[in-house]
Amino acid sequence: NAGVTQTPKFQVLKTGQSMTLQCAQDMNHEYMSWYRQDPGMGLRLIHYSVGAGITDQGEVPNGYNVSRSTTEDFPLRLLSAAPSQTSVYFCASRPDRGLVYGYTFGSGTRLTVV
Amino acid sequence: LAKTTQPISMDSYEGQEVNITCSHNNIATNDYITWYQQFPSQGPRFIIQGYKTKVTNEVASLFIPADRKSSTLSLPRVSLSDTAVYYCLVGDMEGNFNKFYFGSGTKLNVKP
């Protein structure tokens, strides 16, 4: 099925551990983003990419790294997990200058750092 | 980037029309207005997008006055399944247009 696929759906980490959240889309979208959503809050932009090899920071980039080696994949790396990074993480993609399509979001990864 | 302001929550009853207004006083010439819907434990879903006047699709209508400093999402005859959080976003479609920021949104509660 076409769309944005995020793995894993759930993850528990210990403080200081590192991990990579995976995001893949099969719609040939140029633009991809990572957001985090804390309980009862809106989404905050972590990093985004406008195409393979091009990434930039959003509102809350500290503690996260991204890379975009292919159009399809946009992994998010947590360098040294902290309890403050407990959140739901959403990956999203959109077509190039898609004026009427907006973003397609994945189903999210629920991360708990203990 | 233009900041948006929305009511935190709204209540409605099934069958009513619901209008959610978003304020964006600092909207720039190249900015578009986009609305998303989010159900619990799901990612946001694109509803509608517009630049000026009125846009309508099968789900909603979007009204944008001439000064574009606000916009109103209109949901006709809501049902219980429309209970969700609605986000208003403003961003340009060139340059930094990938930097769409979500606020806290408006939590719509539809009652029977």
Side-chain angles (χ1 to χ4, degrees), chain A residues 7-20:
Chain A
T7 56
K9 293 190 182 301
F10 301 94
Q11 183 70 49
V12 178
L13 287 179
K14 293 182 179 179
T15 297
Q17 287 185 317
S18 62
M19 78 160 295
T20 299

Side-chain angles (χ1 to χ4, degrees), chain A residues 9-83:
Chain A
K9 293 190 182 301
F10 301 94
Q11 183 70 49
V12 178
L13 287 179
K14 293 182 179 179
T15 297
Q17 287 185 317
S18 62
M19 78 160 295
T20 299
L21 308 185
Q22 301 291 343
C23 176
Q25 52 91 9
D26 58 2
M27 299 171 285
N28 201 32
H29 286 174
E30 287 294 318
Y31 303 99
M32 298 186 74
S33 299
W34 275 102
Y35 290 88
R36 61 175 286 176
Q37 186 171 37
D38 299 329
M41 305 285 286
L43 288 83
R44 291 186 291 172
L45 181 65
I46 305 172
H47 285 285
Y48 67 97
S49 169
V50 299
I54 306 171
T55 63
D56 205 348
Q57 297 180 349
E59 295 175 271
V60 288
N62 292 339
Y64 307 95
N65 274 354
V66 292
S67 60
R68 186 93 179 273
S69 56
T70 67
T71 299
E72 294 78 19
D73 300 300
F74 190 43
L76 177 72
R77 297 183 187 84
L78 278 70
L79 308 174
S80 177

Side-chain angles (χ1 to χ4, degrees), chain A residues 31-33 35 37 41-43 45 48-49 57 59 90 94 97-103 105-107 110, chain B residues 32 34 36 38 41-46 49 87 89 93-105:
Chain A
Y31 303 99
M32 298 186 74
S33 299
Y35 290 88
Q37 186 171 37
M41 305 285 286
L43 288 83
L45 181 65
Y48 67 97
S49 169
Q57 297 180 349
E59 295 175 271
F90 290 102
R94 64 186 298 263
R97 291 175 170 75
L99 295 182
V100 296
Y101 294 108
Y103 278 105
F105 280 81
S107 57
R110 188 173 298 273
Chain B
Y32 279 72
T34 311
Y36 286 81
Q38 186 180 27
S41 301
Q42 295 186 24
R45 181 176 73 102
F46 171 83
Q49 185 178 74
Y87 296 96
L89 282 72
M93 304 308 292
E94 303 290 337
N96 289 326
F97 73 91
N98 205 51
K99 271 188 169 182
F100 282 101
Y101 292 96
F102 287 75
S104 298

Side-chain angles (χ1 to χ4, degrees), chain B:
Chain B
L1 294 164
K3 181 179 178 180
T4 60
T5 303
Q6 306 174 233
I8 294 175
S9 64
M10 295 180 66
D11 289 332
S12 181
Y13 291 93
E14 282 190 291
Q16 289 186 332
E17 177 185 74
V18 171
N19 295 311
I20 305 174
T21 297
C22 179
S23 173
H24 27 81
N25 291 320
N26 296 323
I27 190 168
T29 302
N30 292 333
D31 285 346
Y32 279 72
I33 301 155
T34 311
W35 286 81
Y36 286 81
Q37 174 191 56
Q38 186 180 27
F39 298 113
S41 301
Q42 295 186 24
R45 181 176 73 102
F46 171 83
I47 301 176
I48 197 166
Q49 185 178 74
Y51 183 80
K52 62 181 180 180
T53 64
K54 177 184 174 181
V55 179
T56 298
N57 61 22
E58 65 278 6
V59 177
S61 294
L62 178 59
F63 298 92
I64 306 169
D67 66 7
R68 305 200 325 123
K69 294 185 183 297
S70 66
S71 59
T72 299
L73 174 73
S74 181
L75 305 173
R77 297 179 298 281
V78 294
S79 64
L80 295 177
S81 63
D82 292 316
T83 293
V85 178
Y86 293 82
Y87 296 96
C88 164
L89 282 72
V90 172
D92 64 36
M93 304 308 292
E94 303 290 337
N96 289 326
F97 73 91
N98 205 51
K99 271 188 169 182
F100 282 101
Y101 292 96
F102 287 75
S104 298
T106 297
K107 185 171 184 178
L108 174 64
N109 183 30
V110 180
K111 304 175 183 178

